[in-house]
Amino acid sequence: MAKKKEILRGAEIFCRALEDEGIKHLFGYPGGAVLHIYDALYKQDAIEHILVRHEQGATHAADGYARATGKPGVVLVTSGPGATNAVTGIATAFMDSIPLVVFTGQVATHMIGNDAFQEVDSIGITRPCVKHNFLVKDVKDLAATIKKAFYVATSGRPGPVVVDIPKDITADSCEYEYPQEVEMRSYRPVVKGHPGQIKKAAKLLLSAKKPMIYSGGGVLLSEASTELTEFSRLLGYPITNTLMGLGAFPATDKQFVGMLGMHGTYEANMGMHHCDVLIAIGARFDDRVTGDLEKFCPYAKIIQIDVDPSSIAKNVPVDVPIVGDVKHVLTDLISTLKNEKDKPDANALKEWWNQINEWKALDCLKFDRTTDVIKPQYVVEKLWELTKGDAFVTSDVGQHQMWAAQFYPFDKPRRWINSGGLGTMGFGLPAAMGVKLAYPDETVACISGEASLVMCIQELSTCLQYNTPIKILSLNNRYMGMVRQWQEFFYSSRYSHSYMEALPDFVKMAESYGHVGMRIEKSSDVEGAIKEALALKDRTVLMDFVTDQTENVYPMIAAGKGHHEMHLSSDVDRELA
C-alpha cells in the first residue's frame, strides 16, 4: 500500500522544499504578501533566515554567499516595493551569471491586475534581468516550480531565477511531493564540447608562436580552476584573467601576466594585442576587456569556449567556437593535447616570453612609496601581506575595486567577490556578510570607498545581529573616485558633483551599530591598524583610511583606444618615451 502523502499549506511547502533542496540560509525581509511563509519559517529550524535591513542587501548577501560557495543564494521578499528593491541585486547577479533563486510575494491571484495595494508586475519588471521567472498560479505547482527554479539557476550558464508567489497560494493546501529530478523540454544545456572542434583547437594552439590564454569568470562558475592550471602549465603559455576570473589561476605563478583590460597590466594588454593565437575560456569579450573592437587582437586566430552558445562570437569573430561546460571541455582538450605528436615551438615561445618580460619590467603598477600620505594601493598590499593572500575579499565599484584587483593577488578560486558586469555600488558590505555566514571561520574583508559604503551601510545592523565579524577597509578620498578620475582626464577637471561633502564620522557610525571603528590618517599607521583589526576575530571592524585624493588608477585604456594605447602613469610614460 502506497504511503499517504502529507497535506501541507503552500507556506509549509515552501519551507519543506527549501529544506529538501539542502538550503541552509535564506536572506529576506517580511511584508504582508509573504506573512504566511514567515509564520511557517517560525515553526521550523532547518533553515536559518537572515533578516536584512533592505531588500537590496538581501540579494547582495545571497549573491556573495553564492559566489564564495558555488551554491545558489536564496532570497525572500514581499510584493511591490519589496520586489522592486531587490531588482538591483537581481540584475547584479544576472550580469555576472550568479545562481540566485529570488522568491517574491505577490497579491492574491484574483487581485492581480487590479492595482491592488503593494502590487507590481514582478514578472514583467524582472524579465530583462533574470535567466527565467515563474508566476505560481496553483499550489499544486509550487513544489515542482521551486525544483525547476533551482535547476535553471544552477545549470548551464548560471543566473538568477525569480519565483513570484501570490499570497493565496501560500494559504492553499495540497499533497506535498518534492521532485527528485526535473526535465524541461525547452531547456537542455550542452555540457560536452564537440570532439572535432576540440581537435581543431588543439592543433591551432600547438601552431602558435605568440599565444595567449585569456580566462574569465566561467572558469570559476564551472569549478575548473584545477583544469585551467593543468592546461596552462602543460603548454607553458602566458595567461591573463578578466576581473571576474581572478583566482582561477594562481596570481603569484610566473606564467600569470596579470589582469587584462581597461585597468589591466601593460604586459597582459600588450600580449593580447600582439598574440597570434588566443584562447578565450569562459570569457565573454566584455567591452572593459577588449577596448576598441576594431583594434582588438588584430593578428590573432581566436578559440572561444563557453557553455552559453549566445556568447560565442557575440562581440568578436571566432575561428574555433566550442560550446560546452568549461570543466568538461578543458578536460578533453588536455587529453587531446597530450596525445598530439606536435608540441609547442620552444624557440618561438622563449622569444615570446622574453618580449613579455620586457614589457613586465616597466612595472606599470608602481606608485609613490615615499610619502606618509596614505596611498590606497599600499593599504591593499598590506592587507594581502597580513592575510597571507588567504582572505575572502569583497569590493564595491570604482577605484578601490581596481586597486583591490591589481594589488591583492588571488591564488585561490572564489576568494574575489565583486560586481563586475553591472558595477553596483553598495555590493561589498552585504556580500561580505553573506560570505562570512558561509565561512564563519575564514577572514572576510570588504574593500570599499566612502561613497559606495554608505549605499548599504544599514547592513551593519545585520552584521551585529547575526555575528558576522567582517573587516571593512574604506579607502576614503572624499570623492567618488572613479568619477573624479574620468572628470580629470576627459572633462578638464570639472568635478561636477563627485566631491563627497557632509560625510559621516565613520568611526562613530561603526560604534553606533555596535562595532569597532578606526580612523587612519598616516601611512606609517596602516600596518598596525590592519593587524589590530585582524586580531579582533569576533568583531566587525570599520577602518576609515584617509587616502590621497589625487591618486588615479593606472594603467587605463580610454574609450576608443586599443590594448596597445594604454594611458600609463606619468613615471612609466616617461620610461616608455
Side-chain angles (χ1 to χ4, degrees):
M1 186 175 177
K3 184 180 177 182
K4 190 174 181 181
K5 295 173 184 173
E6 288 183 272
I7 304 295
L8 299 178
R9 296 167 69 228
E12 296 165 328
I13 289 172
F14 174 89
C15 296
R16 186 72 66 83
L18 293 193
E19 183 181 349
D20 287 348
E21 193 63 39
I23 302 305
K24 302 298 182 186
H25 292 94
L26 172 64
F27 300 88
Y29 200 93
V34 288
L35 283 184
H36 292 322
I37 294 176
Y38 272 88
D39 191 51
L41 285 167
Y42 183 85
K43 299 171 185 175
Q44 60 83 52
D45 56 10
I47 301 157
E48 182 180 10
H49 180 277
I50 308 300
L51 177 64
V52 296
R53 300 311 190 257
H54 190 285
E55 290 88 353
Q56 182 177 341
T59 49
H60 291 332
D63 186 325
Y65 184 98
R67 291 179 199 241
T69 64
K71 300 174 183 176
V74 189
V75 176
L76 173 63
V77 298
T78 194
S79 63
T84 57
N85 282 348
V87 170
T88 296
I90 294 169
T92 300
F94 179 70
M95 289 290 283
D96 293 341
S97 304
I98 305 304
L100 292 190
V101 178
V102 180
F103 296 97
T104 56
Q106 186 53 275
V107 300
T109 51
H110 69 277
M111 298 177 71
I112 293 175
N114 289 346
D115 294 333
F117 177 67
Q118 291 194 331
E119 179 193 358
V120 298
D121 179 7
S122 296
I123 296 299
I125 288 171
T126 62
R127 186 171 286 119
C129 60
V130 294
K131 189 175 177 183
H132 194 62
N133 55 22
F134 299 90
L135 172 62
V136 182
K137 298 178 181 179
D138 190 319
V139 70
K140 296 184 183 70
D141 299 328
L142 181 56
T145 301
I146 292 173
K147 183 67 178 181
K148 287 177 183 178
F150 280 101
Y151 171 64
V152 172
T154 57
S155 59
R157 180 180 181 174
V161 174
V162 165
V163 181
D164 201 31
I165 309 176
K167 186 170 184 179
D168 56 318
I169 301 300
T170 62
D172 293 343
S173 300
C174 71
E175 291 183 340
Y176 175 71
E177 182 178 9
Y178 195 63
Q180 295 300 306
E181 296 179 351
V182 63
E183 182 78 14
M184 299 177 70
R185 188 171 55 187
S186 60
Y187 176 69
R188 295 185 179 179
V190 174
V191 174
K192 297 287 284 184
H194 190 282
Q197 294 297 92
I198 291 172
K199 184 83 170 173
K200 282 183 188 177
K203 288 191 173 297
L204 184 55
L205 283 165
L206 293 172
S207 73
K209 307 294 184 187
K210 298 178 179 181
M212 283 291 290
I213 301 169
Y214 149 52
S215 72
V219 176
L220 299 169
L221 296 170
S222 183
E223 307 290 357
S225 297
T226 299
E227 289 76 13
L228 176 67
T229 303
E230 182 183 355
F231 169 76
S232 302
R233 288 179 177 156
L234 176 65
L235 291 170
Y237 294 171
I239 177 170
T240 180
N241 289 160
T242 66
L243 177 72
M244 296 305 303
L246 294 176
F249 183 86
T252 56
D253 191 285
K254 62 183 180 181
Q255 278 182 247
F256 187 63
V257 295
M259 181 177 72
L260 82 161
M262 177 176 278
H263 296 294
T265 66
Y266 186 67
E267 53 269 27
N269 285 334
M270 291 297 281
M272 291 289 287
H273 183 74
H274 290 282
C275 72
D276 64 350
V277 174
L278 173 68
I279 181 166
I281 306 171
R284 60 187 177 89
F285 296 95
D286 175 75
D287 63 288
R288 287 297 194 264
V289 160
T290 63
D292 183 1
L293 285 171
E294 295 295 320
K295 301 172 183 177
F296 178 72
C297 293
Y299 316 110
K301 297 280 188 182
I302 298 178
I303 304 159
Q304 186 180 6
I305 303 168
D306 204 293
V307 73
D308 181 2
S310 71
S311 288
I312 300 282
K314 182 178 181 179
N315 297 324
V316 172
V318 173
D319 297 281
V320 184
I322 305 173
V323 177
D325 178 80
V326 166
K327 190 180 187 76
H328 286 85
V329 174
L330 279 180
T331 299
D332 291 342
L333 185 52
I334 290 166
S335 178
T336 302
L337 286 167
K338 286 180 177 177
N339 290 325
E340 284 286 332
K341 292 180 182 178
D342 294 333
K343 300 299 174 188
D345 186 329
N347 291 329
L349 190 58
K350 183 179 179 181
E351 287 183 23
W352 182 228
W353 270 112
N354 287 340
Q355 174 63 80
I356 287 171
N357 288 329
E358 189 178 312
W359 289 325
K360 198 174 197 175
L362 283 167
D363 191 13
C364 66
L365 298 181
K366 69 171 64 173
F367 64 92
D368 183 7
R369 299 170 181 277
T370 62
T371 174
D372 207 29
V373 175
I374 298 175
K375 294 292 184 179
Q377 304 96 313
Y378 181 71
V379 176
V380 178
E381 266 190 353
K382 280 297 168 188
L383 178 68
W384 178 72
E385 288 175 16
L386 295 170
T387 59
K388 298 180 171 58
D390 206 34
F392 286 87
V393 177
T394 73
S395 83
D396 283 281
V397 170
Q399 288 180 315
H400 65 270
Q401 177 190 28
M402 295 300 108
W403 285 317
Q406 290 174 336
F407 291 93
Y408 197 106
F410 292 93
D411 281 342
K412 295 179 181 179
R414 296 192 179 276
R415 296 273 167 159
W416 170 231
I417 314 292
N418 80 115
S419 168
L422 196 65
T424 307
M425 294 174 71
F427 175 84
L429 169 54
M433 183 176 70
V435 175
K436 190 66 176 178
L437 281 161
Y439 296 108
D441 297 327
E442 298 284 350
T443 299
V444 180
C446 169
I447 297 175
S448 189
E450 77 290 345
S452 287
L453 189 57
V454 296
M455 286 267 185
C456 283
I457 197 70
Q458 73 283 343
E459 299 310 328
L460 283 175
S461 182
T462 313
C463 288
L464 183 70
Q465 182 170 344
Y466 294 97
N467 188 29
T468 57
I470 59 176
K471 313 306 173 192
I472 302 165
L473 296 85
S474 175
L475 306 182
N476 185 351
N477 61 6
R478 287 79 70 208
Y479 273 103
M480 286 178 253
M482 192 60 83
V483 173
R484 185 206 60 78
Q485 178 169 332
W486 278 57
Q487 288 173 335
E488 177 186 333
F489 288 177
F490 308 119
Y491 298 90
S492 303
S493 297
R494 292 186 294 275
Y495 300 128
S496 177
H497 299 282
S498 56
Y499 182 68
M500 300 296 291
E501 296 184 90
L503 284 169
D505 183 324
F506 285 104
V507 173
K508 289 181 179 177
M509 184 170 65
E511 291 171 348
S512 74
Y513 276 103
H515 304 303
V516 176
M518 301 178 181
R519 185 175 173 88
I520 304 97
E521 300 183 90
K522 294 191 297 182
S523 185
S524 53
D525 293 333
V526 167
E527 183 171 352
I530 297 174
K531 278 183 177 177
E532 183 181 347
L534 293 173
L536 295 169
K537 294 189 180 299
D538 62 344
R539 300 293 301 278
T540 288
V541 183
L542 196 165
M543 291 164 272
D544 185 26
F545 293 96
V546 180
T547 62
D548 187 343
Q549 287 188 289
T550 65
E551 197 68 18
N552 291 321
V553 180
Y554 296 105
M556 180 175 178
I557 301 175
K561 300 294 184 180
H563 280 149
H564 61 305
E565 299 172 305
M566 280 164 282
H567 184 56
L568 304 177
S569 70
S570 54
D571 289 342
V572 181
D573 276 336
R574 281 194 291 271
E575 287 185 36
L576 269 177

